[in-house]
Amino acid sequence: LARGRGFVYADSTQLVKIGPPRDELCLIEGMLHVSHHRRSELLALLQSSIMLEKGLVQQYQIAARDEYQRKADNKLAWAAAKRLQGRAAAKSPDLNENCQGSSNVMQAQSVESEDDDINQ
């Protein structure tokens, strides 16, 4: 019974009728119980949401670091090609033309890569 006022003995063969609350105190007690239960459910949902958010932030940081590293690697490759082109130009005009062609190819790939980044 409500508020610990008594109890009912019943075995598995008996039927117990449960009715609505009969006074305001009983009604409020029931609403408090439902409210507490709902709060527990919402806290569990909040915790799972927080864990999801932390996981997404970690994935974002990893992806950003990988993207930064990829761009840095492209810049290093570009600088190395330019150095080779400069050395080749000093040694032979024929090699200079070959290096100029590979440099143009690397530049085109770099521009395509940046266009892909913008489109994403």
Side-chain angles (χ1 to χ4, degrees):
L1 298 176
R3 298 182 306 277
R5 291 192 173 175
F7 49 89
V8 175
Y9 283 111
D11 62 26
S12 61
T13 61
Q14 293 176 313
L15 184 63
V16 177
K17 182 177 179 182
I18 300 173
R22 294 189 179 197
D23 60 10
E24 185 178 8
L25 188 59
C26 189
L27 179 65
I28 292 171
E29 183 181 354
M31 290 189 318
L32 282 172
H33 178 73
V34 169
S35 175
H36 176 72
H37 181 69
R38 181 68 178 144
R39 181 180 53 177
S40 297
E41 289 175 346
L42 290 173
L43 286 173
L45 184 61
L46 177 63
Q47 288 299 323
S48 66
S49 178
I50 289 171
M51 295 303 291
L52 175 64
E53 183 180 351
K54 285 180 181 180
L56 289 172
V57 167
Q58 288 175 348
Q59 288 178 347
Y60 176 83
Q61 290 171 341
I62 290 169
R65 184 182 63 229
D66 292 347
E67 180 67 17
Y68 175 78
Q69 186 64 43
R70 186 182 63 79
K71 287 182 178 183
D73 291 345
N74 285 344
K75 287 180 182 179
L76 288 174
W78 175 256
K82 283 299 211 180
R83 282 194 304 272
L84 287 175
Q85 181 183 1
R87 289 178 191 158
K91 290 183 180 180
S92 167
D94 294 333
L95 287 176
N96 187 29
E97 291 175 13
N98 289 339
C99 288
Q100 183 64 37
S102 65
S103 176
N104 290 340
V105 168
M106 287 188 68
Q107 184 177 12
Q109 289 174 346
S110 177
V111 169
E112 288 173 5
S113 175
E114 288 176 6
D115 289 344
D116 290 344
D117 292 342
I118 291 170
N119 291 335
Q120 291 177 359

